Amino acid sequence: MNALDIRGLSKTFSGHVVLHGVDLTVRRGEVHALVGQNGSGKSTLIKVLAGYHAPDAGATAQVLGRELTLGSAAAADRLNIRFVHQDLGLANDLTLTENIMLGRRYPRRAGIAIDWPKARRIAHECISRTGPAIDVNRTVAEFGIAERTRIAIARALPDNDDPALIVLDEPTAALPAQDVEKLFDTIRGLTAAGNAVLLVSHHLDEILGVSDTVTVLRDGARVATVPTAEVDKHSLTELIIGRALSRDVERAPRAVDDSRPIATIEGLSGTSLLDIDIDLRPGEIVGIAGLTGSGREEVAALVTGRTHRDGGTVRIGSRSVPSGDPRAALAAGMAWIVGERARYAVFPAMDLRSNITIGDVGRHQRGGRLRHHDERAEARDWIHELGIVASGTDADIATLSGGNQQKALVARALRLKPAVLVLDDPTAGIDIGARQQVHGIIAGRADESMAVLITSTDSEELARLCDRVLVLARGRVVAELARGVDLDAATIDHTQVSGVPA
């Protein structure tokens, strides 16, 4: 009996067909991957399954042979369909127990006081179903991202032992390789217990490594469902984009540049980061790699002023950038692009034009008023130059795919003509085609007037783009890898795990 059977699923928004007659079968006890470019219909399918959107008439669905009313959140919950999204939705200041109990009824003593020992036992039982036991009294903020993902999965599991369909939406977007393997162990444990997992991901190596079956969506239609063992990365990529992928962007080795750095970072410290020095020279792309907890995830926020640093200096040319002051960083000639678009970058209630120009609207002001005609003209130029797919400059940013939203953020940064561009996991959660386009834009714009600092959990991305990569462990630089010498994805991965150069 299948964990999920969907037949003839279509969805139309204002005359635009987003899904067209999609069939999907997920077998009990399997990991079924759902892949496709941004805008292929994956997110809409998941939202219909979750009850957020109602489907067009004619679609049917069953879960373990029982009828599922698509478009009903209550029906999905009743049939043990559970969802874990990329942002996890955890309350970091609450304990593991309190997070597990969110959405559940707390056990009570005499019907009044919360029975905390019993609540902790429930939390312990839930987390144990996803792997080794961990302390349920600790706050979520004390755990690494891999453990937090486990907590989100544990919270999603039904109270009973009935099999569940667990939908994981981009669960590895911000996970380094070592933590991804921990998550895969959790997924394998879930399916071994009879649950099914529907995995949505843009990371094809991970799809090939953990899934049993893969379904490909393209332009709202299902174009293939195949056993994972029958495809490789190349053939799966062609199924996703509908053509052969052009050769990846890869920078040629640069001559040693003895010129004065554009930017100098000395003794940078904060949170888990300890005394980091980085020089950035004209036209250079420098990468930062490291496992979760290495300090890699702190670098961009400390450099750009998003968080206060404990020590160290950041200088662009002759200008010092004060700690915790993003405005001063912008004024000194720095711009940045983040991977966590929804949290830190996109203004969802604004249109595409405003999201592009908001970093500096002054250039379009005359007599204290904003000249929207000029603003639209500039936005059109960026849309054309970066290949942003949208209905127009006034399109709601929320209607764009993740890849096109990210290109809008690239436009926002580049229009400032920065001396230093800081990229914090810039292609997290976007598809392989959009990722290649963003890489091409970054490599093409790194010229004699701009330096780029990029932190990423994607070793292949760093190896493809960077002239140098600094590998962090325990808050310090443990290796510097150079293009043309020892810079490749395998060496980055080895150095991250071992803490020493390969």
Side-chain angles (χ1 to χ4, degrees), residues 326-345:
R327 286 182 180 272
L330 282 169
M334 188 184 298
W336 51 91
I337 302 167
V338 299
E340 292 186 83
R341 294 180 300 277
R343 185 175 182 184
Y344 293 122

Side-chain angles (χ1 to χ4, degrees), residues 253-480:
R254 299 175 74 248
V256 175
D257 189 346
D258 294 326
S259 62
R260 185 175 181 177
I262 286 180
T264 302
I265 301 165
E266 294 181 333
L268 185 68
S269 301
T271 315
S272 58
L273 201 64
L274 303 169
D275 195 28
I276 300 299
D277 297 335
I278 308 170
D279 285 341
L280 298 170
R281 290 180 166 76
E284 185 178 38
I285 301 180
V286 177
I288 305 292
L291 301 178
T292 300
S294 66
R296 178 261 312 153
E297 58 269 62
E298 316 294 342
V299 172
L302 292 169
V303 169
T304 60
R306 200 169 76 222
T307 58
H308 285 273
R309 51 184 185 263
D310 295 336
T313 61
V314 177
R315 300 186 69 85
I316 300 177
S318 61
R319 300 185 64 167
S320 179
V321 179
S323 172
D325 192 343
R327 286 182 180 272
L330 282 169
M334 188 184 298
W336 51 91
I337 302 167
V338 299
E340 292 186 83
R341 294 180 300 277
R343 185 175 182 184
Y344 293 122
V346 169
F347 293 89
M350 297 169 67
D351 55 28
L352 172 59
R353 160 179 54 90
S354 300
N355 269 274
I356 290 174
T357 63
I358 195 168
D360 177 16
V361 296
R363 68 182 68 176
H364 297 306
Q365 285 183 330
R366 299 289 187 277
R369 301 186 66 177
L370 186 62
R371 296 171 63 91
H372 291 295
H373 179 272
D374 294 345
E375 188 187 27
R376 287 190 178 92
E378 187 195 3
R380 276 194 296 271
D381 288 343
W382 283 110
I383 289 169
H384 174 73
E385 183 171 348
L386 302 188
I388 300 171
V389 178
S391 59
T393 61
D394 293 342
D396 289 341
I397 190 75
T399 65
L400 272 64
S401 69
N404 286 299
Q405 288 183 17
Q406 196 70 351
K407 284 190 279 187
L409 300 182
V410 173
R412 181 195 297 176
L414 292 179
R415 71 185 290 269
L416 301 177
K417 296 182 171 58
V420 176
L421 179 62
V422 180
L423 308 173
D424 189 4
D425 242 349
T427 60
I430 66 176
D431 67 72
I432 189 169
R435 186 180 302 127
Q436 188 183 51
Q437 291 175 327
V438 171
H439 287 170
I441 294 165
I442 293 167
R445 291 284 177 151
D447 55 26
E448 293 306 311
S449 64
M450 184 176 76
V452 178
L453 178 66
I454 174 172
T455 74
S456 180
T457 55
D458 187 338
S459 297
E460 290 189 0
E461 176 172 71
L462 292 173
R464 188 176 302 127
L465 284 176
C466 296
D467 301 298
R468 294 184 290 133
V469 171
L470 307 180
V471 182
L472 305 186
R474 297 184 179 181
R476 300 184 185 277
V477 176
V478 296
E480 179 175 323

Side-chain angles (χ1 to χ4, degrees), residues 82-97:
R82 300 291 189 264
F83 299 85
V84 178
H85 299 287
Q86 183 177 335
D87 64 3
L88 300 183
L90 298 172
N92 289 340
D93 293 333
L94 299 184
T95 66
L96 189 157
T97 295

